[in-house]
Amino acid sequence: MEEQQYQLLDGKAVSAQMKKEMAEEVAQIKAAGGKIPHLAAILVGHDGGSETYVASKVKTCNEIGFKSTLIRYEDDVTEEELLRKVDELNNDADVDGFIVQLPLPKHISEQKIIEAIDYRKDVDGFHPINVGRMSIGLPCFVSATPAGILELLKRYEIPTRGKHCVVLGRSNIVGKPMATLMMQKSYPGDCTVTVCHSRSENLKEMCLSADIIIVALGVPEFLKADMVKKGAVIVDVGTTRMPSSVTKSGFKLTGDVKFDEVAPKCSYITPVPGGVGPMTIISLMRNTLLAGKKAIYK
Ligand code: GUN
């Protein structure tokens, strides 16, 4: 079979560029005596993935020049205690935005915590007000992974109008908002969107007719070459931590796409790591900057 030259959608490079742009803006705000954007993050327990993500968020805040506060609790924190902290952050005028890292322990209702967050400080974009506003195209905080993917498609000038976009996965954090955004009347957007999930019967046929596939299933190497049309654009949201004896950390991040066999069929594809991951973090930073500037809500 004839192979085509594919191009990487380099999230690491794009996010580095965005970081530079934001650091310059923060320096200007500082010089003009304005308010330094302040992000707070609540981390419960010691889940390896969550620890890594939150550490990376705090580090990126510092690199851009934001103020950041990390609030930690053990696994046995009560829902009441967490709700009290959320209320405190809602009322802290210095905190522009905050996140509660998910997942939370089973005895705490994630939905209850999310709904307790003031939507004007909900830089994760998980509150129903932000989700609802996004779905009808109003200004809002858009959750970081879908926002990061849109930015990546935009900076690589990927054509989307009228294209068939298949979203694999229907999570509240990625699949659902991604599908909403890809069908919105704008660029990137204007796609015909199909959402497939674990119960879909014709998933392979759908994928084979897709111009753009966004895979967010959390199933390592799920998307194979025989599911992909020649010249398709592939976005891999998967980040499963697989045990590895060769890396220092003892694990290797594995995407939802069987990269080696899928890449030669593509026009563009995101690597894992270095694709969607860095774009997610930088999009949270952009939401923090918007919160600091009161650009979306007064
Ligand atoms: N867990 C996995 N992704 C995310 C995210 O974007 N935000 C939060 N708060 N938790 C997560």
Side-chain angles (χ1 to χ4, degrees):
M1 193 175 56
E2 183 197 341
E3 292 194 351
Q4 75 173 67
Q5 191 57 39
Y6 65 87
Q7 221 188 308
L8 281 183
L9 294 168
D10 188 341
K12 200 173 159 188
V14 170
S15 67
Q17 175 61 30
M18 289 173 70
K19 187 156 88 179
K20 199 166 142 244
E21 291 164 11
M22 281 192 271
E24 283 165 11
E25 192 170 343
V26 172
Q28 282 169 13
I29 293 171
K30 232 177 240 186
K35 161 114 181 43
I36 304 301
H38 181 183
L39 176 73
I42 300 180
L43 174 59
V44 178
H46 299 272
D47 172 75
S50 294
E51 291 263 10
T52 307
Y53 294 135
V54 171
S56 183
K57 290 168 186 178
V58 169
K59 179 168 168 263
T60 311
C61 275
N62 297 337
E63 288 165 352
I64 293 173
F66 293 161
K67 189 170 166 187
S68 66
T69 302
L70 174 59
I71 301 146
R72 301 197 64 133
Y73 290 100
E74 290 303 321
D75 278 314
D76 60 358
V77 65
T78 64
E79 191 175 273
E80 292 68 37
E81 203 172 339
L82 217 46
L83 286 168
R84 267 200 303 277
K85 180 51 80 175
V86 167
D87 190 49
E88 187 188 312
L89 294 172
N90 282 342
N91 291 296
D92 184 336
D94 194 63
V95 172
D96 298 295
F98 65 99
I99 64 159
V100 181
Q101 187 66 27
L102 306 178
L104 292 171
K106 290 277 173 288
H107 65 278
I108 298 170
S109 161
E110 288 185 352
Q111 203 50 39
K112 206 164 165 183
I113 301 294
I114 288 169
E115 289 189 44
I117 298 171
D118 185 331
Y119 69 94
R120 294 165 298 186
K121 295 190 177 191
D122 170 38
V123 282
D124 257 334
F126 292 169
H127 192 285
I129 291 180
N130 281 311
V131 177
R133 290 178 65 91
M134 180 199 64
S135 79
I136 56 174
L138 294 175
C140 63
F141 290 117
V142 176
S143 58
T145 300
I149 292 170
L150 286 192
E151 190 64 33
L152 200 52
L153 296 175
K154 191 158 125 188
R155 294 214 179 197
Y156 279 89
E157 299 177 3
I158 304 293
T160 61
R161 188 203 285 172
K163 302 297 182 192
H164 184 205
C165 174
V166 168
V167 177
L168 299 183
R170 54 177 159 180
S171 69
N172 290 340
I173 293 185
V174 185
K176 277 185 218 164
M178 200 70 241
T180 302
L181 292 165
M182 290 306 280
M183 75 168 105
Q184 74 184 344
K185 214 171 187 154
S186 74
Y187 176 79
D190 279 329
C191 284
T192 304
V193 177
T194 304
V195 180
C196 296
H197 45 77
S198 54
R199 298 284 184 270
S200 297
E201 290 183 350
N202 54 350
L203 187 146
K204 185 173 169 182
E205 288 68 34
M206 287 298 151
C207 288
L208 275 170
S209 88
D211 304 298
I212 302 167
I213 308 180
I214 301 170
V215 204
L217 294 167
V219 179
E221 303 188 326
F222 176 86
L223 193 78
K224 313 280 196 297
D226 66 352
M227 302 163 80
V228 175
K229 178 167 84 175
K230 193 162 168 273
V233 176
I234 307 292
V235 177
D236 187 349
V237 186
T239 51
T240 307
R241 290 155 63 99
M242 302 287 271
S244 166
S245 54
V246 291
T247 62
K248 203 166 60 177
S249 60
F251 68 86
K252 180 172 169 282
L253 277 189
T254 306
D256 288 356
V257 176
K258 205 160 168 50
F259 186 93
D260 292 346
E261 63 173 60
V262 170
K265 290 187 84 174
C266 299
S267 54
Y268 293 87
I269 184 168
T270 59
V272 175
V276 174
M279 292 306 297
T280 295
I281 300 211
I282 210 68
S283 298
L284 174 68
M285 298 301 130
R286 185 151 70 181
N287 281 350
T288 303
L289 181 57
L290 292 170
K293 295 196 292 184
K294 305 281 180 272
I296 294 173
Y297 304 115
K298 297 293 159 237

